[in-house]
Amino acid sequence: MTSTVNGFDSAVAGAGHTGHLGSEAARREHGRLGEGVYRGPGALTAARRALRVALPEPSSRFSQDDEWCVVQQSDGSWSEFRFHDYHRIFDVPGLYEKIFYDVLGCDTPRFMADLFVDALSGTDQTPADVRVLDLGAGNGIMAEELASVGVGHAVGVDILPEAQAAAERDRPGLYADYLVADLTALDPADARTLADHRLTALTVVAALGFGDIPPAAFRTAYDQIADGGWVVLTIKDAFLAEDDTSGFATMISEGLASGSLEVVRRERFRHRLATDASPLVYEGIVARKRGPLG
């Protein structure tokens, strides 16, 4: 069974925009939460409005890695999309924004861009001084938010050619470079390209865990950033728990303990709603790179 949601007015889509959990009790439980509604490029507005998306019944529970929806095609038929089938989602203009922003209330890129600016305010740097490597860049939403706060130089990296094509289609000109690369086996030519950009910040937003970006790829990206540079990341609570098997909990906890990562801002927040309308809680971390990760 599914419940059809089409834009902001349906029951489930409305739940994605009511609250940023709304109540004071929820705010105390989950920390700072996103505020505002993502608008995105004007060119995508009509595409997003035309798309019809149906989610499973709210009583159905799925792990985050197995969430799915169905999307109406131009001939009236419906096709299933797993949320982690990014290559298929990016091929449809506006579908990524429709699912995760319009329906499920994601506000993470804007939230993290603001948290980064807040951290920079305590230094002699401004957003215009920062040269960002955006790992897991997707279709460019994080670069869009960074540009809105004054970051003028960003380089995107994603393993999917469909992500690069979507970024160039939907948000042209935001990236000084966009590499399609596997950072677990970085090509020497790509390594030289990254070095030429003299990168001073790494952003990894809504991309860690679930096998999309393994710890080895994160470490390679981290190594491209100048010492004293910035690391801006989000990660689901579960990947920082003692029983985590992804490798991220160990890598991040050891980085913090050794002083390689110096935390400047750290906040729990609601990343988005799950398909059953429960909140998915993440940690947002803004840190300085003070040394190599073990």
Side-chain angles (χ1 to χ4, degrees):
M1 295 291 290
T2 60
S3 57
T4 301
V5 292
N6 184 22
F8 294 100
D9 297 329
S10 68
V12 176
H17 291 275
T18 58
H20 307 288
L21 297 183
S23 73
E24 284 302 315
R27 190 170 292 272
R28 286 193 298 272
E29 180 182 357
H30 297 294
R32 283 181 56 180
L33 305 170
E35 297 174 357
V37 176
Y38 174 77
R39 298 301 179 190
L44 289 181
T45 301
R48 288 160 65 183
R49 287 177 176 168
L51 288 166
R52 299 187 68 211
V53 173
L55 299 178
E57 292 287 352
S59 58
S60 301
R61 286 183 171 269
F62 299 90
S63 69
Q64 193 173 338
D65 200 31
D66 291 324
E67 289 182 307
W68 57 276
C69 66
V70 292
V71 179
Q72 189 174 43
Q73 306 299 299
S74 58
D75 63 0
S77 63
W78 293 77
S79 296
E80 182 175 315
F81 286 76
R82 286 185 66 251
F83 286 2
H84 281 250
D85 287 342
Y86 294 120
H87 62 293
R88 295 182 61 217
I89 291 173
F90 287 143
D91 274 344
V92 182
L95 183 56
Y96 186 91
E97 292 81 0
K98 182 73 170 189
I99 295 170
F100 297 110
Y101 292 82
D102 297 347
V103 175
L104 297 176
C106 180
D107 194 28
T108 296
R110 186 209 60 80
F111 180 83
M112 291 306 299
D114 285 353
L115 199 63
F116 184 31
V117 170
D118 188 42
L120 283 171
S121 67
T123 73
D124 59 359
Q125 297 183 52
T126 70
D129 299 323
V130 179
R131 302 171 69 85
V132 172
L133 172 59
D134 185 21
L135 177 60
N139 61 354
I141 292 179
M142 188 60 192
E144 179 183 42
E145 295 294 349
L146 291 169
S148 75
V149 298
V151 173
H153 191 96
V155 175
V157 175
D158 203 291
I159 200 169
L160 296 176
E162 294 88 353
Q164 180 194 46
E168 293 175 349
R169 177 193 67 210
D170 300 335
R171 297 171 178 85
L174 279 178
Y175 291 106
D177 250 326
Y178 195 121
L179 305 184
V180 176
D182 179 357
L183 293 194
T184 65
L186 183 60
D187 181 85
D190 288 339
R192 288 192 295 272
T193 296
L194 294 177
D196 288 345
H197 283 284
R198 296 175 286 113
L199 299 161
T200 61
L202 171 65
T203 58
V204 196
V205 173
L208 295 180
F210 305 107
D212 298 322
I213 297 178
F218 177 84
R219 185 178 289 105
T220 297
Y222 179 92
D223 289 344
Q224 312 308 308
I225 306 305
D227 286 345
W230 296 89
V231 179
V232 180
L233 66 88
T234 65
I235 190 164
K236 191 175 181 180
D237 277 4
F239 294 115
L240 295 177
E242 290 184 0
D243 59 354
D244 167 64
T245 59
S246 73
F248 279 108
T250 298
M251 183 176 65
I252 291 174
S253 63
E254 289 181 353
L256 296 173
S258 69
S260 293
L261 280 173
E262 177 190 339
V263 173
V264 181
R265 297 287 187 276
R266 183 170 183 171
E267 300 209 27
R268 298 177 78 240
F269 69 102
R270 193 202 70 180
H271 166 53
R272 64 168 173 85
L273 297 179
T275 56
D276 65 359
S278 63
L280 297 177
V281 178
Y282 276 40
E283 290 231 16
I285 298 173
V286 180
R288 303 296 295 268
K289 177 183 175 180
R290 299 304 189 191
L293 292 175

